Amino acid sequence: MTTGLELGQPQAQAIHSDEDVVRVRQLVRTVAVAVKLSLVDQTKLVTAASELARNTLVYGGGGTVEVATVDNGRRRGVRIIFADTGPGIPDLDLALTDGYTTGGGLGLGLSGARRLVDEFDIRTAPDAGTTVTVIKWSR
Amino acid sequence: MALSAEESGRLAGLLTSHDDQVTQRWTEIVTGSLRGRLSQAELRRQVQELHRAIVTVSEQGDLDLESERAAELRAVLAELSQGRARQGFSATETAVSVFALKEVLLELLDAEQNPTALRDYVAFSSLIDEMGLFTFESFVRTRESLIADQAEQLLELSTPVVKLWEGVVAVPLVGTLDSARAQVVMERLLQTLVDTGSPYAIIDITGVPAVDTQVAQHILKTVVAARLMGADCIISGIRPQIAQTIVALGIEFGDIATKASLADALRHVLRLTGVETSRRASRREA
Amino acid sequence: MERVPILKIGDILLVSIQVDMSDQTAVQLQEDLAERIVATGCHGVVIDITALDIVDSFVGRMLSTIASISKVLDAETVVVGMRPAVAITLVELGLSLHGIRTALNVERGMELIASARADEYAENLDAEPDAETTASP
């Protein structure tokens, strides 16, 4: 995964409640507009952020999100890192399968979010929490 | 590469003292190189403008093309290159208009028999080279922006969304569909549905030479997205080879309506709306 | 917590979602709607999402659930005004909104409910041509 060079100070936001998920969406939208993502790409990124923030809250027991503008030399983009210290994901492949859920949702959170972004990286271990990093590049 | 104050003074002197001769000769050389594709009067005007710009800046002391003082000269050079690029001249033909000045200066210096002539000629030459390179760069920049504009216009041209009937819009797709174009088509079609409040869209692919899995996927996604918004899509103009490819690739068109021609598709839509109205009418009677 | 207002227009309940809903607000709307359908006896629900700049899987599921609940309560649900960017994103996300009727705008949504009700009425008439006469003593 190419992470790109960070531009400026990343903005952090804690995720501990429903309202925080709404705040994450608003924060991501602001940064996506500043980086001049197209309307469709903004919508995709904010939707992915909403799914992942909810995962952090529901499965990770809360955590933090960090939104940054990045540059890979050719294009600018938005990088979002979701981190929690929850139980981790025991079977990653299964969790990334469409329709798989343990939380009573549609099971589209992880797999769907992955399709909506350009770069997707997930690190997890049992009892060691989960960190998901996504990037959407401007066209 | 910059000219010293004395050198640029001598350049200014040379150019002003033989004013008419310089522009006359310069124009002749350029006219020859362009083989009459621009009128002599037009070229003379350009040469005079360049001449004036060089004189103005060289009278002000040492001359550096990059300096603040040379802004006017750079602007004249840029304008010349932009004009040539838009008129379809080559980069060489553009640069020659500047390089021609070397020949003019050589003839003048020869005639004057000045002891510093050789040294001056070398210095002037390198300035003219720099100017030539500058025109080359502005030429390329202009061409690049032209190409970018044309690519965008082509995209606009190749993806028209037209209103066929009240509540029916159509996109006649022509040419190869790549991922970027498919995305533009999709967004524009869906936006038109909202703007016109049309519940029916016809995607006509008569002009699409080939359909691969990716193109089919894009079309399918457009249809599904339109449905989510409350509109129905009909695909028309599927040629026999394309029908075979679709089946061979195992692409499922599901319950998406497909018609042989745009006319069939329109008739289908009108019947759908027509049936609804007549049924409603009979209901009212009942 | 914000609450999404529900308006009654004739035989239809109109919900125009104007805020970026938290999950709790979405669940509350689901409950409120079920109660209002029963309380008013309305047979149609129009949910206007013109103002929503995203629909994620949670809101998508809420819309599906509302459609199913109202069906059980004999009301037809139509989701209207989905933005193109939202529709494209939903397709990419893999959310199909099964069982939900959609329309381009509120007006068309109301027409859709009216014609669905009329169809049902017509079918009932066809099935029991003399239903009214037999029902009255």
Side-chain angles (χ1 to χ4, degrees):
Chain A
M1 161 158 183
T2 50
T3 46
L5 200 71
E6 213 172 83
L7 299 176
Q9 196 64 32
Q11 303 188 55
Q13 164 79 49
I15 306 175
H16 289 297
S17 71
D18 260 8
E19 276 75 22
D20 287 339
V21 176
V22 177
R23 281 185 202 106
V24 170
R25 286 203 287 261
Q26 285 158 356
L27 174 61
V28 170
R29 159 116 13 216
T30 314
V31 178
V33 170
V35 175
K36 295 199 172 66
L37 291 189
S38 73
L39 182 62
V40 172
D41 284 344
Q42 282 174 33
T43 309
K44 286 182 179 175
L45 182 65
V46 175
T47 309
S50 181
E51 300 292 341
L52 295 171
R54 184 175 298 109
N55 277 356
T56 302
L57 180 68
V58 175
Y59 301 105
T64 56
V65 64
E66 197 187 279
V67 187
T69 307
V70 287
D71 193 328
N72 69 354
R74 290 187 304 120
R75 295 185 291 178
R76 296 222 286 164
V78 182
R79 189 193 64 201
I80 318 173
I81 304 174
F82 298 86
D84 66 59
T85 51
I89 303 170
D91 189 342
L92 197 55
D93 288 340
L94 190 61
L96 283 168
T97 311
D98 263 357
Y100 174 78
T101 179
T102 57
L106 292 170
L108 289 169
L110 270 188
S111 55
R114 182 159 67 166
R115 280 194 293 271
L116 294 176
V117 295
D118 296 320
E119 318 263 357
F120 183 94
D121 180 66
I122 180 163
R123 272 146 221 255
T124 182
D127 294 322
T130 304
T131 303
V132 181
T133 306
V134 298
I135 299 182
K136 188 96 190 159
W137 298 110
S138 62
R139 308 248 163 257
Chain B
M1 288 243 246
L3 294 188
S4 68
E6 297 94 73
E7 283 167 342
S8 68
R10 281 200 290 277
L11 176 63
L14 208 55
L15 289 175
T16 42
S17 60
H18 302 279
D19 198 336
D20 283 339
Q21 195 189 338
V22 170
T23 48
Q24 178 61 35
R25 186 75 189 102
W26 193 351
T27 311
E28 275 169 29
I29 300 171
V30 177
T31 313
S33 74
L34 298 183
R35 287 186 298 275
R37 277 192 284 156
L38 274 183
S39 74
Q40 186 128 8
E42 166 87 8
L43 286 172
R44 181 183 297 277
R45 196 188 52 73
Q46 288 175 352
V47 163
Q48 277 168 343
E49 214 172 310
L50 260 178
H51 178 266
R52 199 177 315 121
I54 300 173
V55 170
T56 312
V57 69
S58 56
E59 276 172 345
Q60 295 171 354
D62 58 317
L63 203 177
D64 183 352
L65 193 58
E66 315 259 288
S67 72
E68 186 73 26
R69 264 189 314 204
E72 173 68 21
L73 175 56
R74 286 200 302 271
V76 173
L77 287 170
E79 196 190 323
L80 174 83
S81 339
Q82 281 162 11
R84 291 279 204 282
R86 287 186 196 284
Q87 284 156 349
F89 288 97
S90 72
T92 309
E93 284 165 333
T94 307
V96 161
S97 302
V98 175
F99 290 140
L101 180 58
K102 278 195 199 180
E103 211 173 317
V104 180
L105 287 176
L106 184 62
E107 286 164 12
L108 284 177
L109 287 166
D110 250 0
E112 285 209 341
Q113 294 294 334
N114 204 310
T116 56
L118 180 63
R119 201 176 293 275
D120 279 352
Y121 180 70
V122 172
F124 297 164
S125 272
S126 68
L127 172 73
I128 294 169
D129 286 345
E130 216 179 325
M131 285 164 47
L133 287 176
F134 183 83
T135 57
F136 189 75
E137 270 174 37
S138 355
F139 179 91
V140 171
R141 251 199 309 280
T142 309
R143 271 290 166 90
E144 275 172 0
S145 77
L146 271 181
I147 292 169
D149 286 354
Q150 284 170 349
E152 204 167 298
Q153 285 168 3
L154 205 62
L155 204 58
E156 295 261 323
L157 271 180
S158 59
T159 55
V161 181
V162 291
K163 186 173 164 183
L164 275 192
W165 207 273
E166 194 57 49
V168 188
V169 295
V171 243
L173 293 179
V174 177
T176 318
L177 269 186
D178 59 11
S179 190
R181 227 192 109 198
Q183 202 169 336
V184 172
V185 175
M186 184 164 170
E187 285 170 29
R188 186 156 313 158
L189 173 62
L190 298 180
Q191 192 55 52
T192 311
L193 293 178
V194 176
D195 295 343
T196 60
S198 307
Y200 292 99
I202 301 172
I203 303 175
D204 185 76
I205 59 168
T206 313
V208 178
V211 167
D212 58 15
T213 321
Q214 218 188 347
V215 171
Q217 284 298 338
H218 279 302
I219 296 175
L220 287 179
K221 280 180 184 172
T222 310
V223 174
V224 178
R227 256 186 211 167
L228 284 175
M229 293 167 51
D232 271 320
C233 290
I234 293 106
I235 299 171
S236 69
I238 303 182
R239 285 181 288 137
Q241 312 93 289
I242 293 185
Q244 287 186 19
T245 327
I246 290 173
V247 174
L249 288 171
I251 299 164
E252 274 297 333
F253 264 53
D255 53 350
I256 297 168
T258 52
K259 294 287 162 219
S261 69
L262 188 55
D264 284 346
L266 182 58
R267 196 174 300 127
H268 172 74
V269 172
L270 291 180
R271 210 182 49 227
L272 278 182
T273 48
V275 165
E276 265 179 29
T277 42
S278 67
R279 264 174 71 196
R280 213 171 279 153
S282 67
R283 211 178 286 134
R284 227 173 274 131
E285 283 160 25
Chain C
M1 191 190 73
E2 287 179 274
R3 263 179 125 111
V4 179
I6 302 169
L7 309 174
K8 182 177 178 292
I9 301 174
D11 193 32
I12 288 171
L13 292 176
L14 176 64
V15 182
S16 184
I17 304 175
Q18 297 288 341
V19 293
D20 190 349
M21 289 188 295
S22 72
D23 293 358
Q24 228 181 323
T25 308
V27 172
Q28 185 67 49
L29 172 61
Q30 198 175 299
E31 288 170 10
D32 289 353
L33 252 180
E35 270 170 39
R36 284 297 295 274
I37 293 172
V38 174
T40 58
C42 282
H43 290 98
V45 177
V46 174
I47 303 177
D48 179 18
I49 59 166
T50 313
L52 283 192
D53 49 23
I54 72 153
V55 169
D56 62 10
S57 65
F58 194 89
V59 173
R61 184 160 58 120
M62 173 205 78
L63 294 174
S64 290
T65 312
I66 288 176
S68 307
I69 292 175
S70 51
K71 189 125 233 156
V72 174
L73 298 173
D74 191 24
E76 194 75 44
T77 302
V78 181
V79 173
V80 305
M82 185 183 290
R83 298 184 186 183
V86 171
I88 292 170
T89 303
L90 281 182
V91 173
E92 212 67 54
L93 189 65
L95 205 62
S96 53
L97 299 188
H98 269 302
I100 299 184
R101 283 172 171 245
T102 52
L104 288 171
N105 48 45
V106 173
E107 200 181 343
R108 289 204 179 270
M110 290 184 143
E111 280 171 18
L112 195 62
I113 288 178
S115 74
R117 295 302 297 176
D119 276 345
E120 205 171 295
Y121 182 63
E123 274 167 28
N124 287 345
L125 279 187
D126 290 343
E128 306 162 60
D130 52 357
E132 268 173 307
T133 44
T134 48
S136 51

